[in-house]
């Protein structure tokens, strides 16, 4: 056996040397424009699942082409089939033998591995290769211009698998593949598609071609120890079934596992009449893909006639038609239609010698290289193949610019019981769907998440619940969870000094979240820190990164530098940096009563008092004795009435309806202003105020005063690196007492001007320390989370559990358990916040102003009507008496002003006196 292998490799080496360095003259064959016979070759493995079906399908297609007068028009198509025996060396030899027969095209090869080798030969001799089963994604590259895949490339199958993994929200998978060009390139394409979706292949396990059961066992044992339980199997039939047999033996076909298999399994199941019970038992719950073939009339006709075709070919066993057989059938029709177009464009069948294949002087002629020649019309035929468009048994056959068949689609199949069922389809047009691709093509493309749908799946082990896709890779050992051993703010997390137990708010949140997980987690807490000062939280996270710890639980801020090296859960506490400053009770001064209102508020309020007084004087002057008299008296009345309303002590009787309406609105405004003034003044005189000029982080940046921060916090680096504050200004503080002492001493007596810390700590501090407060707003937005190694699935599941705790209220209940001991309320109002501004009362002033203006308009309209009516009556009386005063301009502005100033006697019920004398005077009667 070894001698035969050595002989084969020596022969292959000799062939390569001859092809590269010893050209031999070839023969040219002249043909007529329409030859009677056109020879094509076919390379595939006769004794294989695909080969047995392809042989019958190709023969049937050739027979159908030759019997169809609309194609080739009398030219007979002859196919020379060669058995490659699924071997690279045999494939090369068979390809060389076919090339000697002056074929214009070759159907195949079946194997992607062989295709990579003989594609170079096809490039040299200009003979198109049309492979109906070589699905390697790299075969469509520019390196192989004469190789055309007449089936769907694995590029699309791997896209479908990536969409499937993303649909079930698995983050990483294991890949088992045949370690050759076919397997490696397919899995590489899967890795690229997963990366596009931020997913990944965690472990790759290559199967050496020809591996035995022992090799497969070693491979699967290693995979059983990793976290991921989602396995993608991309292999051939022999190695693939061996993998399932070993996996069944190792318990890897049980609940919790996911197996996704490429279309080799569906091709095999479609080809056999009855599947063996042992085989079906091995693959229960497996998901496999199958190239989607529309259910057309042509397909149904071929399927119904398949049994007769098998008998006609004298097949030794009863085989069924699979998708690769359908593509093989269409491949024959593809080359026939391309040849028809080739002949229509005056193409001819002719061959010429290849200078590279000329016979060397020392060649004994055993390789017969001179028999191979270049197909002169190869490039033209290749173009015709790529431009063909027709509907075959597999649907529309048409190529895009990337030499892929258009509209790739796959059926997604779930192996159940004694058979399988289709749970949905995938198409490059709309992704995953339970609707057939043909229906989706009539609609606008929609790949949104909500549009992706599949039927329920029965998973390995008979489980109907979607597996989480991973399991612990710790072989049953406890997880070492690091917790910070805090000295201050021990309510959050710390180790008890008496019992040694770890407790705190963060611990309770973690325990509650773990209890919500659908699987048990064994863990133990490992305190981190010396117990004398708060530990470095960055150091704690680094312990997780270096795998010294399996995770870290506590009040760990999620900041950029930490997320670069570790994964964090969903935040369970919102946080952010704030500024803490001292407060003290301000001493009142003699002018404290002016502080409630701003200067603009005082001014506008005073103007409105005068404005309302004037309006009331106008409305009451003609009818109210209280608003009449000498000018000095009337001015005093206006001022007195205006400001006496502030205390509701005005004594003037309001007679007019308009005046009463205005007064009611004004008194309401006065009530609001008075109440607000009283409340604000009370607050100013009793509430503690900030005793420093620091009102936010901006003030701290502008000064050179010392700033305090908590030991172990990220605050120090943030202030230095992000805000540019000198590190020499920063002072580390480790306890609550140190906080209070530093703030009380102040920046000029060895203390600090302010402390910058995270909001949860500061809130807890000011809840018991009433002499301090928060100023400004949070100038960072972050949160606290639990840290785990990169790509940890436990971090993902705990994030979901934390969200559940928040939704069901347990998170708030845990918070209330630890943080309800509040002894004083936090005073956060700034001094400026107690000043009442005009904007707060602008609505009231607007309403009052509009009411006054409206009352004035109505009042003057009424006066005008009365004035003209009175003037008309006086003119009538004067005309009847022949008085000379008719010449007096009674309707002048001067007359109207005199009318307005006069008292209206009708209000008191007395007869109205004639106004003739008054109208004739030079001015208003100010004595009345």
């Amino acid at each position: 056996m070894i001698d035969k292998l050595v002989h084969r490799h020596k022969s292959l080496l000799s062939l390569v040397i001859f092809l590269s360095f010893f050209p031999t003259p070839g023969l040219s064959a002249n043909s007529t424009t329409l030859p009677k016979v056109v020879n094509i070759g076919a390379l595939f493995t006769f004794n294989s699942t695909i080969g047995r079906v392809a042989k019958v399908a190709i023969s049937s297609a050739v027979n159908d082409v030759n019997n169809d007068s609309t194609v080739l028009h009398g030219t007979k198509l002859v196919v020379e089939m060669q058995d490659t025996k699924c071997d690279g060396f045999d494939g090369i030899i068979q390809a060389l033998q076919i090339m000697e027969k002056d074929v214009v095209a070759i159907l195949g090869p079946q194997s992607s591995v062989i295709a990579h080798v003989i594609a170079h030969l096809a490039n040299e001799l200009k003979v198109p290769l049309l492979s109906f089963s070589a699905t390697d994604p790299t075969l469509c590259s520019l390196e192989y211009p004469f190789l055309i895949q007449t089936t769907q490339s694995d590029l699309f199958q791997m896209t479908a698998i990536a969409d499937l993994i993303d649909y079930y929200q698995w983050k990483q998978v294991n890949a088992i593949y045949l370690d050759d060009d076919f397997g490696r390139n397919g899995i590489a394409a899967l890795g690229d598609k997963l990366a596009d979706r931020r997913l990944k292949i965690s472990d790759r396990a290559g199967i050496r071609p020809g591996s035995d059961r022992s090799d497969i066992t070693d491979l699967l044992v290693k995979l059983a120890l990793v976290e991921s339980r989602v396995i993608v199997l991309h292999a051939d039939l022999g190695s693939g079934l061996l993998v399932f047999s070993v996996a069944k033996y190792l318990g890897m076909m049980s609940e919790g596992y996911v197996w996704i298999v490429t279309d080799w399994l569906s091709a095999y199941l479609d080809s056999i009449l009855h599947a063996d019970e042992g085989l079906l038992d091995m693959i229960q719950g497996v998901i496999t893909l199958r190239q989607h073939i529309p259910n057309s009339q042509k397909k149904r006709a071929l399927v119904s006639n398949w049994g007769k075709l098998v008998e006609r070919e004298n097949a030794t066993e009863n085989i069924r038609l699979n998708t690769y057989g359908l593509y093989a059938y269409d491949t024959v029709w593809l080359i026939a239609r391309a040849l028809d177009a080739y002949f229509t464009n005056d193409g001819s069948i002719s061959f010429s010698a290849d200078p590279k294949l000329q016979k060397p002087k020392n060649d004994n002629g055993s390789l017969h290289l001179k028999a191979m020649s270049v197909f002169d019309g190869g490039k033209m035929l290749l173009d015709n193949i790529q431009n063909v468009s027709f509907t075959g048994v597999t649907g529309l056959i048409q190529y895009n610019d990337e030499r892929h068949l258009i509209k790739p689609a796959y059926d997604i199949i779930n192996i159940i019981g004694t058979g399988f069922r289709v749970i949905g389809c995938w198409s490059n047009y709309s992704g995953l769907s339970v609707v057939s691709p043909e229906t989706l093509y009539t609609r606008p493309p929609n790949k949104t998440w909500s549009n992706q749908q599949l039927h329920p799946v029965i998973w390995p082990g008979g489980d109907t619940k979607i597996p989480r896709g991973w399991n612990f890779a710790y072989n049953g050992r406890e997880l070492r969870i690091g917790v910070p051993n805090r000295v201050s703010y021990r309510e959050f997390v710390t180790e008890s000094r008496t019992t040694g137990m770890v407790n705190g708010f963060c611990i309770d949140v973690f325990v509650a979240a773990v209890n919500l997980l659908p699987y048990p987690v064994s863990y133990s807490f490992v305190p981190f820190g010396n117990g004398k000062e708060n530990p470095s939280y960055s150091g704690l996270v680094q312990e997780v990164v270096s795998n010294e710890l399996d995770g870290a639980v506590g009040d760990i801020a999620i900041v950029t530098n930490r997320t670069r090296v570790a994964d964090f859960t969903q935040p369970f506490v919102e946080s952010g940096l704030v500024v803490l400053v001292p407060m003290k009770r301000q001493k009142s001064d003699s002018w404290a009563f002016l502080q409630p209102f701003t200067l603009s508020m005082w001014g506008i309020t005073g103007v409105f008092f005068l404005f309302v007084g004037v309006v009331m004087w106008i409305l009451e002057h003609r009818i109210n004795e209280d608003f009449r008299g000498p000018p000095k008296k009337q001015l005093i009345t206006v001022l007195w009435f205006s400001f006496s309303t502030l205390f509701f002590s005005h004594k003037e009787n309001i007679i007019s309806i308009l005046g009463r309406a205005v007064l009611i609105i004004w008194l309401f405004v006065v009530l609001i202003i008075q109440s607000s003034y009283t409340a604000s003044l009370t607050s100013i005189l009793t509430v503690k105020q900030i005793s420093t000029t620091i009102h936010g982080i901006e003030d701290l940046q502008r000064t050179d005063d010392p700033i305090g921060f908590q030991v172990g916090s990220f605050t120090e680096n943030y202030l230095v690196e992000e805000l540019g504050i000198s590190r020499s200004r920063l002072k580390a503080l480790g306890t609550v007492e140190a906080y209070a002492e530093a703030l009380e001493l102040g920046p000029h007596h060895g203390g600090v001007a302010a402390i910058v810390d995270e909001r949860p700590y500061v809130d807890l501090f000011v809840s018991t320390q009433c002499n301090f407060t928060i100023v400004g707003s949070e100038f960072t937005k972050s949160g606290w989370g639990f840290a785990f190694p990169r790509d940890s699935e436990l971090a993902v599941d705990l994030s979901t559990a934390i969200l559940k705790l928040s939704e069901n209220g347990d998170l708030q209940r845990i918070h209330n358990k630890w943080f309800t001991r509040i002894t004083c309320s936090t005073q956060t109002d700034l001094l400026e916040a107690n000043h009442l501004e005009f904007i707060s009362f602008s609505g009231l002033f607007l309403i009052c102003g509009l009411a006054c203006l409206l009352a004035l308009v109505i009042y003057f309209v009424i006066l005008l009507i009365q004035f003209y009516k009175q003037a008309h009556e006086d003119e009538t009386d004067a005309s009847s008496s022949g008085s000379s005063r008719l010449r007096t301009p009674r309707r002048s502005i001067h007359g109207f002003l005199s009318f307005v100033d006069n008292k209206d006697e009708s209000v008191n019920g007395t007869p109205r006196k004639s106004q003739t004398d008054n109208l004739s005077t030079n001015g208003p009667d100010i004595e009345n």
Side-chain angles (χ1 to χ4, degrees), residues 307-602:
K308 297 179 181 178
L309 298 177
V310 173
E311 292 179 3
R312 189 176 67 187
E313 293 299 322
N314 297 319
T316 57
E317 57 182 306
N318 189 7
I319 55 176
R320 299 172 62 188
L321 185 60
N322 59 27
T323 56
Y324 287 104
L326 294 172
Y327 277 108
Y329 181 89
D330 275 350
T331 302
V332 175
W333 277 96
L334 174 62
I335 188 61
R337 292 183 181 276
L339 285 170
D340 188 50
Y342 176 77
F343 293 140
T344 302
N345 294 325
D346 298 327
S348 61
I349 305 299
S350 62
F351 297 85
S352 59
D354 187 347
K356 295 182 180 180
L357 298 180
Q358 293 180 0
K359 181 179 178 180
K361 295 180 180 180
N362 59 348
D363 184 17
N364 58 12
S366 59
L367 291 177
H368 302 289
L369 297 180
K370 65 179 182 179
M372 292 184 292
S373 53
V374 177
F375 177 32
D376 296 329
K379 183 61 173 68
M380 181 178 175
L381 179 60
L382 179 65
D383 293 338
N384 289 326
I385 292 173
Q386 293 177 342
N387 293 327
V388 164
S389 179
F390 72 98
T391 301
V393 295
T394 59
L396 180 62
I397 303 296
Q398 183 179 336
Y399 287 92
N400 58 21
D401 295 337
E402 298 176 348
R403 300 195 302 159
H404 291 138
L405 287 173
I406 64 172
K407 297 182 178 180
Y410 286 85
D411 295 330
I412 302 175
I413 297 172
N414 184 206
I415 310 298
I416 304 173
T418 58
F420 54 81
R421 71 185 183 103
V422 177
I423 62 171
C425 298
W426 175 90
S427 69
N428 200 42
Y429 185 76
S430 292
L432 300 171
S433 177
V434 295
V435 181
S436 67
E438 292 73 42
T439 303
L440 295 174
Y441 294 145
T442 63
R443 307 173 184 174
N446 187 354
K447 286 189 176 182
T448 58
W449 176 258
S450 60
N451 196 54
Q452 307 299 294
Q453 294 180 348
L454 289 175
H455 291 300
V457 177
I458 304 298
W459 304 98
D463 193 9
T464 58
K465 184 179 179 180
I466 299 175
R468 65 177 182 270
W470 71 281
N471 203 351
F472 286 113
Y474 302 101
N475 300 322
R477 69 175 177 86
E478 284 187 339
L479 299 181
R480 290 170 49 84
I481 303 298
V483 294
N485 189 8
R486 294 191 57 87
V487 176
S488 62
Y489 302 112
R490 298 170 61 86
E491 292 89 345
F492 291 105
V493 57
T494 194
E495 181 184 21
S496 174
R497 296 169 181 171
T498 56
T499 64
M501 299 292 291
V502 178
N503 51 38
F505 167 72
C506 300
I507 300 300
D508 284 1
V509 172
F510 174 75
V511 172
V514 169
N515 290 337
L516 290 179
L517 297 178
Y519 49 87
V521 177
S522 179
Y523 59 88
S524 62
F525 292 122
V526 180
F528 179 78
N530 56 21
K532 299 179 180 178
E533 62 179 7
N534 294 334
S536 169
Y537 280 62
S538 296
L540 175 59
V541 174
Q542 189 58 43
E543 290 287 302
V544 177
V545 176
S546 61
N547 294 322
E548 296 295 326
L549 297 171
D550 299 317
V553 170
D555 47 339
I556 306 171
I558 305 173
V559 294
T560 304
N561 291 337
R562 296 171 185 172
T563 57
R564 292 190 180 122
V565 295
D567 280 353
F568 284 83
T569 63
Q570 168 80 16
F572 59 91
V573 169
E574 295 297 328
S575 182
L577 293 179
V578 294
V579 178
L580 177 68
V581 297
M583 292 191 308
K584 68 177 181 179
R585 192 179 303 278
Q586 293 284 5
K587 294 182 179 180
S588 300
D589 56 24
S590 58
W591 299 99
F593 69 91
L594 295 177
Q595 294 180 5
F597 286 168
T598 61
L599 182 61
S600 60
M601 181 63 182
W602 279 116

Side-chain angles (χ1 to χ4, degrees), residues 739-755:
Y739 272 37
E741 181 181 0
L743 288 173
E744 288 174 350
L745 288 175
H748 304 298
H749 299 87
V752 296
I755 293 175

Side-chain angles (χ1 to χ4, degrees), residues 251-319:
M252 297 178 67
M253 300 301 299
S254 58
E255 184 177 333
Y257 280 91
V258 176
W259 287 83
I260 302 175
V261 185
T262 50
D263 61 352
W264 62 265
L265 180 58
S266 62
Y268 174 68
L269 295 177
D270 287 339
S271 301
I272 58 179
L273 187 61
H274 297 290
D276 181 74
E277 292 184 3
L279 168 64
L280 291 176
D281 183 60
M282 287 192 307
I283 59 176
Q284 287 295 300
V286 168
I287 292 179
T288 184
L289 275 68
R290 177 176 62 193
Q291 298 183 64
H292 177 78
I293 307 297
N295 191 20
S296 62
Q297 180 62 36
K298 290 184 178 180
K299 174 187 173 182
R300 290 194 296 269
L302 182 60
V303 171
S304 63
N305 199 36
W306 181 253
K308 297 179 181 178
L309 298 177
V310 173
E311 292 179 3
R312 189 176 67 187
E313 293 299 322
N314 297 319
T316 57
E317 57 182 306
N318 189 7
I319 55 176

